[in-house]
Structure formats: C-alpha cells, structure tokens
Amino acid sequence: QVQLVESGGGLVQAGGSLRLSCAASGIIFTINSMGWYRQAPGKQRELVAEITSGGSTNYADSVKGRFTISRDNAKNTVYLQMNSLKPADTAVYHCNGGPTPIKSVAMYNWGKGTLVTVSS
C-alpha cells in the first residue's frame, strides 16, 4: 500500500530553520512528482512547493526564497528545507504526489503530516 510518512516538524523561533522529510513507499518513487502542502487551523490546504520527477521545482509566492524542495530517489524521500521561518508558516505539513512527469498531483491518501510551529 502507498504510505507517506512526514517527519521533521517541531517548534522553532521566527527566523529559524527546519528540514522536513517525507518517506514514500508503495509507489515507483522515481516517476512521481511530489509536493509539500500545508494546512493551518481554519485554513484551506495549500500547495507550497513541488518537484517533478525530473527535478523541476515550483513554489508558492509566500515561500519563494525561503523554502527549498528536493528529492533523493535512492531513499524514496522528498525534503523541504525551510529557512527564515515566520509565524505565518505555522501549519501541519503533508506531502503527496502522483506518477506524472510535470506536476505533483495529490492522488494518494494523506498521511498524518508533521506539525511546524513558529513562535514570535
């Protein structure tokens, strides 16, 4: 079965950094474009970063210049390096994807996510 396990969240002060990891199993990881999503309390889930199977990336305007998405196909893992964190980044972060070459389609069941809390 498909399993997406997020980790790396925690409590950090504004201006700090965190690196999130998403370990995928049950999929052919190399052909999947992947994305990181976040959902704050009372807010809609939003796509913050995505990386295609070929390594192309795209970011939401709110995180451009601060977040970097990457992948390690040998480890079936996608990462989100988050720098210069702001309180507005506080959310539960999830990963998802799909076997498309040009974008990250969220076609799998959502995992539990990992909570990022940024204090001021």
Side-chain angles (χ1 to χ4, degrees):
Q1 294 185 3
V2 177
Q3 188 173 32
L4 302 171
V5 181
E6 301 93 346
S7 62
L11 175 64
V12 65
Q13 292 183 339
S17 298
L18 286 172
R19 190 177 79 153
L20 308 183
S21 298
C22 170
S25 60
I27 64 173
I28 305 174
F29 185 77
T30 53
I31 67 171
N32 275 257
S33 294
M34 303 295 296
W36 280 99
Y37 301 75
R38 68 185 182 189
Q39 187 168 30
K43 304 290 186 179
Q44 296 289 107
R45 180 181 285 112
E46 64 173 336
L47 176 67
V48 299
E50 61 182 351
I51 184 167
T52 70
S53 57
S56 298
T57 59
N58 189 47
Y59 300 92
D61 288 342
S62 59
V63 307
K64 283 183 178 178
R66 301 189 297 118
F67 290 11
T68 303
I69 188 171
S70 62
R71 64 192 295 155
D72 187 340
N73 288 338
K75 296 182 178 180
N76 288 358
T77 301
V78 61
Y79 303 96
L80 186 67
Q81 178 67 48
M82 306 185 295
N83 298 325
S84 301
L85 283 162
K86 305 174 181 179
D89 297 319
T90 296
V92 176
Y93 285 72
H94 302 260
C95 64
N96 215 316
T100 64
I102 60 173
K103 62 183 179 181
S104 59
V105 178
M107 66 172 287
Y108 305 118
N109 290 333
W110 299 99
K112 294 181 178 180
T114 186
L115 176 63
V116 171
T117 303
V118 184
S119 66
S120 59

